[in-house]
Amino acid sequence: MKVNIIVEQNKDGFYSCFVREDVPYVGLIGYGASSVEAIDSLIQFYNESKSELAKEGKIVPDLEFTIHYDMSSFFNRFDFLKISKVAELAGINPSLLRKYTSGVAFAGPKQYEKLYTAIQKIAAELASASF
């Protein structure tokens, strides 16, 4: 079963995530000090729940996760990306992108599209690199 994990930074600076779809017998959520911690806690809870529910004869489907990040959690997860370089590639002012990632300002659909295109370009360049 394919499911979507939604990862968000909370106002307290911690991260939370949840699965958008209904999974039989279990509600999947995770919390942590980083986006990775939150995702790991959700997956650990899923694995533990699946084992416990199996003992009761309840079958929880195998899940294939797709992860969706808000801007803050994305740059937390991929902290090796320099915000100023991503902003430059996307054609966005670096200080504005920092405001987006800190939650001070919010990007509109056009800005998200610019960022998405820049991230796709970075991914393609990384995928084609070799040593």
Side-chain angles (χ1 to χ4, degrees):
M1 175 179 180
K2 292 183 179 185
V3 296
N4 296 284
I5 296 177
I6 311 301
V7 186
E8 303 169 326
Q9 184 177 30
N10 301 322
K11 291 181 182 183
D12 62 6
F14 284 84
Y15 295 83
S16 63
C17 59
F18 63 94
V19 169
R20 183 181 298 160
E21 295 78 13
D22 289 329
V23 178
Y25 308 113
V26 64
L28 296 175
I29 57 173
Y31 297 98
S34 70
S35 55
V36 171
E37 254 183 51
I39 294 165
D40 287 348
S41 73
L42 182 146
I43 293 171
Q44 181 180 356
F45 179 72
Y46 162 69
N47 289 328
E48 290 170 359
S49 297
K50 186 175 178 179
S51 295
E52 289 299 314
L53 289 166
K55 292 175 187 175
E56 299 173 17
K58 297 177 181 174
I59 305 300
V60 177
D62 291 330
L63 300 180
E64 181 181 324
F65 299 107
T66 301
I67 303 171
H68 303 271
Y69 299 91
D70 71 357
M71 205 168 301
S72 296
S73 60
F74 177 83
F75 281 100
N76 175 262
R77 167 63 182 89
F78 301 102
D79 59 356
F80 56 85
L81 293 174
K82 294 185 183 221
I83 290 176
S84 58
K85 292 293 184 181
V86 173
E88 181 182 317
L89 185 60
I92 297 173
N93 183 302
S95 63
L96 183 57
L97 183 52
R98 283 187 190 84
K99 288 179 182 179
Y100 294 157
T101 61
S102 66
V104 172
F106 298 97
K110 288 182 182 179
Q111 296 291 64
Y112 267 107
E113 184 60 33
K114 287 180 181 180
L115 286 167
Y116 182 74
T117 301
I119 297 302
Q120 283 184 315
K121 183 176 180 181
I122 292 168
E125 288 178 17
L126 286 171
S128 69
S130 63
F131 291 97

